[in-house]
Amino acid sequence: MKFKLLFFFSMVGLMLAGCEREQEIELPEATVVVENYDGNAMVQEPGGEVELSVVSQSLAGIKKLEVLANESVIETLETEELFTHRYGYTYRVAKDAQTGDEVRLVFRMEDRRGRAVSSPAVIIRVDEPFRIVDFVRGGHTFRKIYGRINKDLILTKKEKWMVDSIVSVDQGATLTIEPGTTVYFRTFSNNDKLSLLSVMRGGKITAEGTRSEPIVFTSDKTLSGNPARGDWGGVSIHGNAPTNAGKTVLRDGFRYGGTHVSDNSGRLRFVRIEYAGKKQYHALQLFGVGSGTKLEYVQVFECYNNAFRVRGGRVSLKYISGIQHGGYGIWADEGWQGNGQFWLFQTGIKATLIPVNYWNQARSIEFRNDDSFYEKEPRTTFKLSNITLVGNGYDEGTDHGTRRGIRIRTGAQGILHNAIVTQFPSDAVRVEDLPIESLGSSMLIDNMRSYDNFANWEQEAKDYFFKSNRYNLKETPVGGISINNFTGIESVSYNPTAMSGWFTSAPYIGAVDPENDWTAGGSWFRNKDGSFR
């Protein structure tokens, strides 16, 4: 879709530049597509809702969009002279609809040259929105879930559960997963098909494992012994908390954002997400998730794309880790405002520019506000402490790719203490795009060790913070930390509890204290080689 939009607007420029005013321009075909419809019937029960993401395009300008149900117009939307119009349409199934009934929805657009074009029909079938059936694959019997979970559901550890394709948790429903439960995600050889779990705005997930009985989201190929990064999509949670991308944002067919700062989308504790990251998805996506949501002891292992992707919201994260993340460790933007403590990212995967691989210049931490308006509100603002970032190695004269440590940019700002950044073949700590008056106040880095990187500090991290000698920033190694070991700390006087009561007392640099190793014990945390801590 991004390529189509780029081509679309490129055509505008070419035709305006290359045609005389009086000439009749031959315009390309107008289009209407439903982004979140894959051609299969969408199932919903009587009185239920189906949300659709409709995109119409015409270089002549869009005049109106009509919605037809079984060939009858049920809604007409007049528009301004837009080349591209995005429309989030919600269809409510009649309360008296009968099981087996079908509705054919078509979106018909008329442009300002009188051309009419329609989308392919979207089939909505009246039935139970989700089902659980027995399914045999590779000699294993699963309880397979597919569809939209519209009522409370409990997954027990005694069953082998499989998520088939896109499974969502509807508004008002709670998915509860017992400690010790493994949820397998069906893999597909077709690159356009994938499985993922999406908690919709107003839905909840309660997945609270223990150190000895973690909850695991993984590829079904783990049973055959050949799982790989990018086998399935990931887990997405959508909330009602604010973002700066809009009061309500529609992405991949799901809505997020709102005004409820303390919105509660559930709890994740002692959870491991493995082998995710297919297509554009990331292992754990948190979109507009509120501060009432509790996330701690979550490990992402062997993800093709980003381990954690945060768009807006107020959620805070404690005891999180990405081991062998292909893309970024965590990328937060769209006005995320939250806390973080005990973050660990370690990967041996190299990022490169050419060919495009693992999100190019992949970073362990990427914070942005808004790429076009740096001061956009709400603004990405963070408080972080006790971080350890270990890259894929740096040796002078050796190509280890372009992987980076921390980059804070496009107006994001906050306070970062007690961090270790090492073994990155590009820059380790970079701060940019902020006015000088914010440095040292609303933007602060302190009590940090950055060493054995291609460049330990860059831009304001170097010119303002490091060179000033006003902050406890050094390039000396921390004992115990190496490319293959992340346990090691250095004592300092600063205690992160000074930032707020949310933080745990930890007056030391680094994420993992060898004397109190939160990654060790049980069967929830994997090392780079896949062994348990």
Side-chain angles (χ1 to χ4, degrees):
M1 180 57 66
K2 289 182 179 178
F3 175 79
K4 291 180 179 178
L5 290 173
L6 179 62
F7 173 78
F8 197 79
F9 288 112
S10 297
M11 288 294 296
V12 175
L14 288 172
M15 288 187 293
L16 291 177
C19 299
E20 297 179 7
R21 181 172 301 179
E22 66 272 12
Q23 286 181 315
E24 184 73 17
I25 299 173
E26 183 69 26
L27 294 177
E29 181 182 357
T31 60
V32 182
V33 296
V34 181
E35 286 186 311
N36 61 327
Y37 183 62
D38 63 3
N40 297 312
M42 304 181 77
V43 179
Q44 185 54 282
E45 63 187 352
E49 295 181 345
V50 177
E51 296 181 347
L52 298 170
S53 176
V54 185
V55 180
S56 53
Q57 293 180 323
S58 173
L59 288 179
I62 299 166
K63 182 178 180 181
K64 67 179 180 180
L65 183 69
E66 295 178 320
V67 184
L68 291 80
N70 295 336
E71 301 184 353
S72 297
V73 176
I74 59 173
E75 185 174 328
T76 300
L77 180 70
E78 301 287 341
T79 69
E80 300 296 331
E81 289 198 35
L82 299 174
F83 294 138
T84 298
H85 179 68
R86 292 184 174 273
Y87 180 44
Y89 178 73
T90 300
Y91 179 80
R92 182 181 292 275
V93 178
K95 291 184 179 180
D96 59 354
Q98 302 298 308
T99 298
D101 287 353
E102 286 191 351
V103 177
R104 292 173 57 86
L105 288 182
V106 173
F107 297 88
R108 183 169 64 199
M109 182 264 289
E110 181 183 338
D111 69 12
R112 295 190 177 275
R113 283 203 171 175
R115 296 183 302 177
V117 61
S118 297
S119 71
V122 175
I123 309 299
I124 298 174
R125 180 176 302 132
V126 181
D127 205 339
E128 295 179 359
F130 81 97
R131 289 186 178 179
I132 300 175
V133 299
D134 287 337
F135 177 75
V136 177
R137 185 170 192 177
H140 298 275
T141 300
F142 298 90
R143 298 289 285 160
K144 183 176 73 171
I145 310 169
Y146 60 94
R148 301 169 64 237
I149 299 171
N150 68 327
K151 58 186 177 182
D152 293 353
L153 177 66
I154 299 175
L155 305 188
T156 60
K157 68 178 181 180
K158 65 181 181 180
E159 304 279 2
K160 279 190 175 72
W161 298 96
M162 175 180 284
V163 168
D164 187 346
S165 302
I166 299 175
V167 171
S168 61
V169 181
D170 274 8
Q171 177 179 355
T174 298
L175 174 64
T176 301
I177 305 175
E178 285 187 347
T181 302
T182 297
V183 181
Y184 299 92
F185 287 75
R186 186 175 179 180
T187 56
F188 296 92
S189 57
N190 185 335
N191 288 333
D192 293 327
K193 295 191 70 175
L194 80 166
S195 295
L196 63 88
L197 176 65
S198 181
V199 180
M200 298 174 68
R201 189 169 64 173
K204 288 185 179 181
I205 180 171
T206 300
E208 293 188 283
T210 67
R211 195 176 296 274
S212 58
E213 288 194 300
I215 291 165
V216 181
F217 298 105
T218 191
S219 162
D220 64 5
K221 289 184 179 179
T222 57
L223 295 171
S224 59
N226 63 339
R229 292 186 292 271
D231 272 351
W232 58 285
V235 178
S236 300
I237 303 176
H238 304 81
N240 282 289
T243 87
N244 65 21
K247 289 184 178 179
T248 294
V249 185
L250 183 65
R251 182 176 295 276
D252 300 322
F254 297 99
R255 289 179 170 85
Y256 67 92
T259 58
H260 302 294
V261 171
S262 59
D263 188 43
N264 181 1
S265 296
R267 300 184 298 277
L268 298 182
R269 193 169 194 267
F270 286 111
V271 170
R272 186 172 69 251
I273 304 173
E274 304 177 332
Y275 308 110
K278 189 172 184 179
K279 293 183 72 175
Q280 75 270 27
Y281 293 96
H282 313 290
L284 182 58
Q285 301 186 141
L286 305 169
F287 295 168
V289 175
S291 62
T293 308
K294 304 302 180 185
L295 297 173
E296 59 180 15
Y297 298 101
V298 178
Q299 185 196 25
V300 171
F301 178 71
E302 291 283 1
C303 179
Y304 184 81
N305 286 332
N306 301 339
F308 298 85
R309 183 68 172 95
V310 184
R311 293 182 183 271
R314 298 292 186 271
V315 65
S316 294
L317 304 95
K318 186 178 284 188
Y319 301 110
I320 67 166
S321 177
I323 302 296
Q324 294 295 81
H325 53 93
Y328 300 0
I330 183 169
W331 177 357
D333 60 2
E334 290 189 10
W336 172 65
Q337 295 181 0
N339 303 319
Q341 189 179 18
F342 305 117
W343 287 9
L344 167 64
F345 295 104
Q346 177 195 38
T347 184
I349 301 171
K350 142 180 180 176
T352 61
L353 284 174
I354 301 173
V356 174
N357 179 28
Y358 296 116
W359 289 66
N360 286 335
Q361 299 177 31
R363 302 168 187 96
S364 287
I365 295 178
E366 170 89 0
F367 289 150
R368 303 184 192 181
N369 186 46
D370 182 82
D371 289 355
S372 58
F373 180 29
Y374 294 173
E375 297 180 357
K376 192 173 184 180
E377 295 291 342
R379 191 166 184 169
T380 300
T381 307
F382 54 86
K383 294 179 180 178
L384 304 180
S385 185
N386 303 103
I387 312 292
T388 296
L389 310 177
V390 182
N392 62 302
Y394 168 66
D395 296 296
E396 187 174 357
T398 302
D399 180 12
H400 286 278
T402 57
R403 189 169 288 280
R404 292 171 162 173
I406 301 170
R407 192 174 189 184
I408 300 166
R409 60 192 297 205
T410 69
Q413 60 184 6
I415 300 172
L416 171 54
H417 281 281
N418 296 358
I420 298 170
V421 188
T422 188
Q423 296 293 335
F424 286 92
S426 191
D427 49 273
V429 184
R430 177 187 288 258
V431 177
E432 58 190 287
D433 301 331
L434 290 169
I436 190 69
E437 59 269 19
S438 69
L439 303 178
S441 56
S442 57
M443 179 64 241
L444 174 66
I445 59 173
D446 203 354
N447 301 300
M448 186 179 295
R449 302 291 178 264
S450 180
Y451 58 92
D452 291 344
N453 306 289
F454 171 75
N456 293 328
W457 318 92
E458 281 294 346
Q459 294 198 224
E460 282 86 348
K462 177 181 180 181
D463 296 333
Y464 181 88
F465 290 102
F466 181 68
K467 287 185 175 181
S468 70
N469 292 318
R470 293 194 299 267
Y471 305 96
N472 183 16
L473 307 178
K474 298 180 181 179
E475 297 181 327
T476 54
V478 176
I481 301 292
S482 69
I483 194 169
N484 291 312
N485 185 49
F486 51 71
T487 57
I489 61 172
E490 179 180 321
S491 296
V492 291
S493 60
Y494 182 80
N495 195 323
T497 55
M499 288 190 284
S500 81
W502 181 87
F503 288 87
T504 298
S505 177
Y508 54 80
I509 290 173
V512 186
D513 179 356
E515 301 299 319
N516 186 24
D517 186 348
W518 55 269
T519 69
S523 57
W524 84 280
F525 196 100
R526 289 188 184 273
N527 293 305
K528 280 200 315 184
D529 63 3
S531 62
F532 288 112
R533 297 284 293 169

